[in-house]
Amino acid sequence: MKASIHDGTIYDYIKKIVPQEDILLQEPMSRHTTFRVGGEARCFIRIKSKEQLLKLAPYLQATGQDYFILGNGSNLLVGDKGYSGFVVKLESSMGEVRVMGSRISVPAGMPLSKAAGTARDHGLSGLEFASGIPGTVGGGVVMNAGAYGGELKQVVESVEVMGREGEILVLDNETMEFGYRTSVIKNRPFVVLEVTMKLQQGSPEEITARMEELAAMRRAKQPLEYPSAGSAFKRPEGYYAGKLIMEAGLKGFCIGGAQVSEKHCGFIVNTGNATAADIKKVMEEVQLRVKERFGVRLEREVIFLGDF
């Protein structure tokens, strides 16, 4: 039987690793996802150093606790009834940014947008595509995040990860087995600690101009005014998810406060008062109707966590 946090044993151990102010009980997950919905996590732990994570994660693993490693919550839907496990939030302060010539190493908890900005400030080009992606470097590497013709596969040189027992491994680009919105880490018990990317020398002014160009394209085509998790579905081979959804007559389709965006049908948005159940139902209805109409199965990019 799993120990309860209320018996004090696990909580006392966690307090030896993480300051008490970084341990939040019954924390609303609506504060930590870009959908802005979700029930309470049993225990929410802010991790601000690699050493904390190397002690905590193996302990949770060894004691059989359910836990979830959280980045920016940008592709996550937490159920309205919450999550009975431990949410381990990797903060951007987990490590130092290191710039070595054309290489840059960044901690897993750093937002991709900040990593792209840091690269720009050092005159390094190649990460511009990531400047508007709302996730973290760690989460981005796990799913090989990309946009506008760029993806992390193109720039990642190596990834430092922690294994199940707390061991540290370094995976090179080939070992990462990057694919479309996937990597070797997606189905392995690895936690990303640090990512090293190899970029090219460039002009900060030209890099900034490219970032601004991509930002304008996003504002024009994406419903950034509403909470969402970005593209809700992966692109099916030979198709575009948003186009299939639109042609299935689902533009603007809504349940409660969840809606298929009228601006970009690949996005499911929270129009203001959505529940996680509303969003889940819209996604399932979209999958059902697209399958019925076109025989194409849409695969979610969004991770479901907890009880709905």
Side-chain angles (χ1 to χ4, degrees):
M1 180 182 294
K2 294 178 183 177
S4 165
I5 195 166
H6 299 297
D7 70 12
T9 305
I10 295 176
Y11 188 50
D12 287 344
Y13 182 84
I14 294 171
K15 284 195 294 183
K16 294 177 183 177
I17 301 170
V18 180
Q20 189 158 357
E21 62 265 26
D22 290 327
I23 305 169
L24 309 175
L25 303 182
Q26 305 308 127
E27 175 70 2
M29 287 302 292
S30 56
R31 297 174 180 171
H32 304 284
T33 69
T34 55
F35 266 129
R36 297 290 178 257
V37 300
E40 296 178 342
R42 166 191 178 193
C43 183
F44 185 95
I45 307 167
R46 292 189 290 243
I47 296 295
K48 296 179 178 176
S49 75
K50 189 185 297 186
E51 291 70 31
Q52 289 176 340
L53 184 63
L54 290 173
K55 291 176 183 176
L56 178 65
Y59 174 78
L60 294 176
Q61 182 80 33
T63 54
Q65 302 303 308
D66 292 328
Y67 67 94
F68 182 83
I69 303 294
L70 179 69
N72 199 43
S74 58
N75 68 332
L76 180 66
L77 181 65
V78 180
D80 300 307
K81 296 177 183 177
Y83 176 58
S84 60
F86 293 77
V87 173
V88 180
K89 171 72 166 71
L90 305 187
E91 299 285 311
S92 60
S93 58
M94 261 187 65
E96 297 289 328
V97 176
R98 293 178 290 119
V99 179
M100 306 148 289
S102 62
R103 290 176 174 81
I104 180 170
S105 291
V106 295
M110 175 175 282
L112 276 164
S113 57
K114 187 173 180 181
T118 301
R120 174 203 60 210
D121 294 345
H122 286 83
L124 295 176
S125 175
L127 205 53
E128 292 88 334
F129 71 89
S131 59
I133 297 176
T136 59
V137 171
V141 163
V142 172
M143 65 174 293
N144 187 24
Y148 298 106
E151 56 184 356
L152 286 174
K153 173 184 179 179
Q154 299 164 355
V155 297
V156 169
E157 184 172 74
S158 64
V159 181
E160 183 184 69
V161 301
M162 179 187 69
R164 188 189 297 271
E165 306 298 327
E167 70 276 21
I168 294 179
L169 307 169
V170 177
L171 311 179
D172 63 18
N173 186 290
E174 185 176 351
T175 306
M176 282 294 295
E177 297 179 11
F178 285 119
Y180 174 64
R181 299 298 175 265
T182 191
S183 73
V184 71
I185 299 176
K186 200 156 190 182
N187 298 307
R188 299 283 184 91
F190 291 148
V191 179
V192 178
L193 301 175
E194 184 178 88
V195 178
T196 298
M197 292 173 273
K198 190 173 190 309
L199 305 173
Q200 299 85 41
Q201 297 295 329
S203 156
E205 292 76 21
E206 291 179 2
I207 296 169
T208 298
R210 178 58 177 161
M211 286 180 173
E212 290 175 349
E213 179 186 2
L214 293 178
M217 291 168 65
R218 285 188 176 89
R219 287 192 298 271
K221 296 181 179 180
Q222 299 179 7
L224 303 181
E225 64 273 25
Y226 292 111
S228 78
S231 296
F233 303 99
K234 294 181 180 180
R235 185 178 66 243
E237 189 172 351
Y239 300 92
Y240 290 98
K243 190 169 187 291
L244 289 174
I245 296 166
M246 182 173 67
E247 291 179 352
L250 289 164
K251 181 178 181 179
F253 172 78
C254 62
I255 295 175
Q259 181 186 59
V260 174
S261 169
E262 296 182 337
K263 194 172 188 179
H264 189 314
C265 289
F267 285 60
I268 310 298
V269 299
N270 176 2
T271 60
N273 62 345
T275 64
D278 291 339
I279 295 168
K280 182 173 182 284
K281 288 174 185 175
V282 168
M283 288 188 182
E284 291 170 345
E285 186 66 20
V286 165
Q287 288 175 308
L288 178 65
R289 292 206 200 175
V290 168
K291 185 73 167 64
E292 287 178 346
R293 177 78 183 272
F294 302 106
V296 177
R297 178 182 172 273
L298 293 180
E299 184 180 350
R300 290 194 327 263
E301 279 197 26
V302 178
I303 296 167
F304 288 177
L305 182 70
D307 299 320
F308 289 81

